[in-house]
Amino acid sequence: MTTTPPAAESEATDEPDSALTTARRQLERAAAHVDVDPGVVERLKYPTRVEQVSVPLEREDGSVEVFTGYRAQHDDVRGPYKGGLRYHPDVNAEECTGLSMWMTWKCAVMDLPFGGGKGGVAVDPKGLTDDETERLTRRFAEELRDAVGPTKDVPAPDMGTDAQTMAWFMDAYSMQQGETIPGVVTGKPPVIGGSYGREEAPGRSTAIAAREAVSYYDRDLSETTVAVQGFGSVGANAARLLEDWGATVVAVSDVNGAIYDPDGLETHAVPTHEEEPEAVLAHDAPETLSNEEVLELDVDVLIPAAVGNVITADNADAIRADIVVEGANGPTTFAADAILEERDVPVIPDILANAGGVTVSYFEWLQDINRRQWSLERVNEELEDHMLDAWNDVRAEVDDQGLTWRDAAYVVALSRIAEAKATRGLWP
Ligand code: NAD
């Protein structure tokens, strides 16, 4: 079934911001700085389609439960839809739509030949056995079979899904199509067409963005202090790389709180979320802090890399970092953004900083289509090149138009999408 797109929302200012509200508001802000046909902006406020499917699952006790799955496809003017599939009880059509719009901007700012998609199943994955998760995934892949494909829409892991989920999805799709089609999803294990370096890529790109920001503001990484909220895939990889490159990481946290050492932590010795969940506080350090305190530390660079909406109107005035680099998606609310702008605290936006994930997904897709695996060294070199190109494109807008980093990133993205739309025209 295809649902009609949700109606445009009224100007919402309350926190926390929904993904759709944020996506539409950013579109309007960017449009004010770009010479763009208003008709193109209007088209971009809506997804192309939002698929809603029923996913029946036979439980271990023989009973049948029906879950609802979604796939929002926002815009494909620059290439196939691209974005994650999440398994979470709160998954719904509106959230998928907003997140699919973010993916459109993220792919465009990185100049990847993809548009934005997002989907998932409204289910608590912790309540499923492995076999149930496999059956649910295979059935979901079958329900979405007409909507996805390497040249149509390419899902990836997201909250509650992982490389194994993608392997089952790819297998189910391939079995029905009658041939092995690894390029239907990314984020797979390397043995079936996944890319080396995919897992650490969002953290790596976040570290590159932080390094470039430090250099842009005429500082030396070896004299830079860093605090990181969230020590998972994004936060830990970013923290460890920045330490390797000479920065002093003074604080890292997980959901239980933070450890703090003004002389610098040895981040490789602190267990990540994957190595040992929620074990940051067990690591020996001079001080522990709360997650609120870690955000307010007097450091050069703050990297919120845990969850969304942590820097809000309530604490934006208390942020003492000189630069904020968004490792998580949407950690800064719209109201907080305005306060930080007023205070001249640069915020390097998520759609640029953590875009290493979708960029290496693009590399994975290229490897799948060409049936040729790249080395980790090549992946990391190409990621570095893509990040620097995107960084320089965004920096040019910051310098030329005096925009914030976030507005500049959206201007770069919107310009590319609008030009593609204008060139292709509106059919019929
Ligand atoms: P993860 O599950 O690997 O790690 C999350 C970390 O944050 C853990 O250390 C956890 O303890 C901590 N945490 C959870 N809730 C917290 C809270 N309320 N306060 C403080 N810490 C908390 O997750 P991840 O993959 O690193 O993702 C982190 C963020 O980055 C999310 O916003 C995600 O959407 C975004 N992101 C992830 C990827 C990716 O491919 N992994 C790509 C782009 C963006």
Side-chain angles (χ1 to χ4, degrees), residues 12-95:
T13 51
D14 287 335
E15 298 176 55
D17 306 319
S18 82
L20 186 57
T21 305
T22 304
R24 287 202 172 122
R25 201 152 36 191
Q26 276 306 148
L27 171 63
E28 273 160 18
R29 270 183 77 109
H33 300 286
V34 183
D35 183 16
V36 54
D37 176 351
V40 166
V41 178
E42 192 59 21
R43 287 165 69 189
L44 286 169
K45 286 181 187 165
Y46 301 91
T48 306
R49 67 180 66 78
V50 183
E51 297 285 336
Q52 179 178 324
V53 297
S54 295
V55 190
L57 170 72
E58 185 175 345
R59 307 297 305 247
E60 300 297 4
D61 65 3
S63 65
V64 171
E65 202 168 336
V66 180
F67 297 94
T68 305
Y70 303 91
R71 185 68 182 172
Q73 300 178 328
H74 174 240
D75 185 81
D76 69 343
V77 72
R78 291 167 46 85
Y81 305 100
K82 187 86 195 78
L85 289 179
R86 53 176 58 175
Y87 290 174
H88 190 279
D90 296 341
V91 168
N92 59 58
E94 182 183 316
E95 185 193 59

Side-chain angles (χ1 to χ4, degrees), residues 70-71 73 80-87 114 117-120 137-138 140-142 144-145 147-158 161-175 177 179-196 198 357-371 373:
Y70 303 91
R71 185 68 182 172
Q73 300 178 328
Y81 305 100
K82 187 86 195 78
L85 289 179
R86 53 176 58 175
Y87 290 174
F114 290 133
K118 198 71 145 198
T137 302
R138 288 181 180 281
F140 186 37
E142 176 57 16
L144 287 185
R145 189 150 60 92
V148 299
T151 56
K152 280 189 192 169
D153 183 351
V154 186
D158 203 275
T161 59
D162 59 15
Q164 179 60 66
T165 323
M166 294 303 110
W168 289 325
F169 193 106
M170 181 278 248
D171 185 68
Y173 180 82
S174 297
M175 294 301 287
Q177 296 293 106
E179 57 181 316
T180 295
I181 306 176
V184 65
V185 288
T186 59
K188 303 176 294 294
V191 69
I192 53 164
S195 180
Y196 296 118
R198 168 66 180 80
V358 71
T359 304
V360 175
S361 274
Y362 166 55
F363 300 160
E364 180 174 335
W365 181 77
L366 287 177
Q367 293 170 68
D368 291 341
I369 287 172
N370 291 294
R371 296 289 201 265
Q373 195 151 43

Side-chain angles (χ1 to χ4, degrees), residues 91-130:
V91 168
N92 59 58
E94 182 183 316
E95 185 193 59
C96 290
T97 304
L99 294 172
S100 72
M101 289 172 78
W102 279 14
M103 287 306 299
T104 303
W105 320 139
K106 198 180 272 196
C107 292
V109 79
M110 294 306 296
D111 211 4
L112 307 177
F114 290 133
K118 198 71 145 198
V121 179
V123 61
D124 179 3
K126 292 193 209 86
L128 301 176
T129 65
D130 285 353

Side-chain angles (χ1 to χ4, degrees), residues 221-348:
L221 208 53
S222 65
E223 289 161 18
T224 297
T225 53
V226 181
V228 181
Q229 186 189 53
F231 206 62
S233 171
V234 178
N237 281 307
R240 288 174 173 179
L241 272 170
L242 286 167
E243 187 193 343
D244 292 347
W245 294 341
T248 305
V249 180
V250 296
V252 301
S253 78
D254 66 17
V255 69
N256 300 317
I259 49 173
Y260 175 61
D261 184 343
D263 296 328
L265 297 161
E266 279 185 38
T267 55
H268 288 271
V270 182
T272 68
H273 183 67
E274 191 173 73
E275 288 161 1
E276 195 185 340
E278 328 307 9
V280 163
L281 288 183
H283 186 80
D284 205 21
E287 263 186 74
T288 58
L289 304 171
S290 69
N291 260 302
E292 291 71 40
E293 288 169 324
V294 82
L295 293 173
E296 296 171 13
L297 278 174
D298 187 4
V299 286
D300 298 302
V301 177
L302 171 66
I303 303 183
V307 289
N309 296 318
V310 292
I311 304 179
T312 67
D314 292 336
N315 65 358
D317 269 322
I319 302 293
R320 285 185 290 164
D322 295 334
I323 304 169
V324 176
V325 180
E326 295 186 328
N329 284 325
T332 315
T333 65
F334 191 74
D337 227 16
I339 295 169
L340 292 175
E341 181 182 355
E342 179 82 24
R343 293 183 49 216
D344 278 334
V345 179
V347 179
I348 313 301

Side-chain angles (χ1 to χ4, degrees), residues 130-145:
D130 285 353
D131 284 349
E132 287 173 337
T133 307
E134 177 175 352
R135 287 201 292 278
L136 182 87
T137 302
R138 288 181 180 281
R139 182 61 188 247
F140 186 37
E142 176 57 16
E143 296 299 337
L144 287 185
R145 189 150 60 92

